[in-house]
Amino acid sequence: MADTTAASEPDPGAPDPAGGPVPVADAGPGPGPTTLLQTLRRLGSGPRGLTEAQAEERQARFGANTLPTHRHASWPRVLLRSLRDPFTAVLLCLGLVSAAVASWGTACVILLLVAVSCALRASGEHRAGRSMAALRGLVATTATVLRRTGEDLPPDTREIPVDELVPGDVIRLGPGDLVPADVRLLRAQGLTVHQAALTGESAPVAKDAADAAGGAGSGLFDRPQLCFQGSSVASGSATAVVVATGARSRFAAAHARSDVRPEASAFDRSVHGVSWILIRFMLLTPPLVLMANAALRDRGLETLPFAVAVAVGLTPEMLPVIVTMCLARGASLLARSHGVIVKRLPALHDLGAVDVLCLDKTGTLTEDRPVLHRALGPDGRDDPEVLRWAALNAWWTLQLADLPAPDALDDAVLDAADEDDVMAYDGVAALPFDPLRRLATAVVRTPGRLGTHTLVVKGAAEAVLERCVLEDDERGELLALAARHADDGLRVLAVATADLPHSRLRSSGGTPIARTREYTAADERGLDFRGFVTFKDALAPTAAAALKVLADRGVTVRILTGDHPGTAVRACRDLGIAVPQDGVLTADGIDSLTDAELAAAAARTVVLARCTPEHKARFAAALRAGGHTVGYLGDGVNDLPALRAADVGIAPRDAVAVARESADVVLADKDLTAIDHSIAAGRYSGGNIATYLRITLSSNLGNVIAMLAAGLLLPFLPMLPAQVLAQNLCFDAAQLAFAHDRPHPSVLRRPTLLRPRDLLRFIIGFGVLNAVADLATFGVLELALRGPEGLDDQAVFHSGWFTENLLTQALVMVLLRVGRLAAGRGPGPIGWAAGALAAVGLLLPVSPLGSLLGLTPLPFLYYLLLAAVLALYTLGLMAVRRAPWLYSCAM
């Protein structure tokens, strides 16, 4: 048997010379199955389980049956990671340069802003980490195991903690149990398992202990004799032997793959683009200032502090703080109001930028249960009698076969049936559903028909029809009818009956003899076909309304499912999602496409069916390659690759632990409404960030242009470094209001994505307009202050331009914020901050603090002329704002 080890199931041990198991390198099932006897031999176990001594020895060798722990970064590590943010790195460089030229005030302010930004981001991620730690406790804790106290003693059944399971343990599984490790079935009775967390298949999968190999091309999870950690028992019972625990389980392998570093998200790409714009401007500005002053004014290095101050004035030094505050506030509101945990703050911005949302249909578009669609007679028309017979089968199978709960399809039948019709019959016997027979049978006593029992058989169409008395042509037509309904996304069960005599007369005296033989599967023959019952997935109650809201917000939905394509298309049709003729792609289709071809196909695909985890990840990557910002909602191990491939991974709190750890956002429930709230919060935060960038960069660019012009026209510096710093501090303090602003609802209509090229076009357009206003102010100063107090007076010029700068920036804050002011709304945080900024611009020059900064009071005529300039400036802003090619480009 030496050559079969590599092709074995996930046996963590093989017998060593001493008789105990030794570990193998294989972390999961191999490509080829072995027999049950071979598996038990390699595990050094048997149907009676392990002894306590064997279990203790294996526990010491293999360790606890737990997943690798998720290590969270320490506070210092999170702070250092925050410094890698490009915005923060730009500010840090400016602070160091300011310190190098002895501009200590500017350096201290910038470094303080860097520290505040890093602290805010680290605290937000730390809070999210604590919330995630609370969710990790929501897992199964015990398992039912057979253990022996001695080698020759009988086994005892006991409950032990899951982490004490070891390879070779024999466990028992029942309905509702979570499979605590990778196991190989020893015995099974009617066992079906939910393994959607592993494969995405919503329907329970039948499992059997027989030594059957998977079909050609079948995957690991298709092997009927294997069950895996992360799945749960839907029905039936089983005894199984543990073959892999802890780090050797399939779950652990998926956990290890989830640690792969993801690609840059939409936020990261936008940040890098905007950062390079700032870096180019900052590298260009100081040399221009130095060269211009040296060439025209014969000034040397004494203008270096002013040149650095100009570069600082161009930079939005509050950007890291504003971005972090906007995202942290949005994440905090989501957590308090909707129970949504944003683990990584930039992911909230990515949510606002999402324009394609990929998800599975089960639990989001549909509930994890079927509902009755129609009951059809043999002619394909509605027939209530078929529903009555199906309900009799479901009810008496449940009652007489000692099942703990009805099957999901039986439950749907009973919900739709008339209870009085069912209770009019007496149950006699039942043969429960068997994965091999693929049908269930109930025997009932029909009222008014003494001496006769009626067999009611319900199950797969092929299994039932082959037991019916039908001509071959008729059977073929009925199978074709069932296939058409299945292709239409419906589940189909066939119903048939047979009347059997309960007693017969004695040949001699005519006394009836009661039937003594029990009913068996051999009685399921010679049936009369009654019809079909069809089922569809129950729609999630909030799905239709949430889909409409998402569509109104420019988010398209893509369905990625392991189910049959017809089932997914049916759900889409019921919810009003249009699926074009070429809008369905299957695993076979995606395998034949190149990456470029898949990117083109993904743009028109609505449903990706029968897909594997790798297909989901490749599809998400293709959408990103096509220029989309992709969100992916997943809750199982099979969703891990796609969660990492998307711009933002989303998981519900009841997802498997490894999926929660890999996701960027964790929802309270697997509900599209929660995603809608999250996208709205992301767009509000992203809208405020975009508004801040538009206003700050355009104002700063205008000021820099004006400073360069003034430096060439004036015999003195147009503004002292201390005045530049004071102006920036005032503007920065006012801009904190952006983190608390609630933009106009129009911001929700489309994704909020920072596009660097479009942003550059915007700030140049409005920056030039702002520079024109500054140059006009120079003219006002010349006109209003002729003589010795004119442009030759440094203090007067500095004061006039300082006031105009703050007033124009206050106007820009109000007029260029996202959306229009809603009727009846108050000024809001932006309005109050702009008012305060304008008050500082008017009052600071006449205050004692103004004299310390080199400012002086201005004549009344200046204010009158400045009002006219500001009025024209306002008209210009309003006119340019109406140009959609310019205003709409910032997002």
Side-chain angles (χ1 to χ4, degrees), residues 690-698 759 762 816-818 887 890:
T691 301
Y692 167 80
L693 280 173
R694 289 200 309 268
I695 292 174
T696 304
L697 291 178
S698 57
L759 182 64
F762 179 93
L816 294 190
R817 67 186 288 266
V818 172
Y887 184 72

Side-chain angles (χ1 to χ4, degrees), residues 356 358 558-560 585 590 598 601-608 614-625 630:
V356 175
C358 298
R558 300 287 189 267
I559 314 301
L560 280 61
L585 189 62
I590 198 173
L598 180 57
R604 59 180 182 271
T605 297
V606 177
V607 173
L608 178 64
E614 290 71 23
H615 291 143
K616 294 180 180 183
R618 191 176 171 215
F619 187 81
L623 286 170
R624 293 183 66 185
V630 180

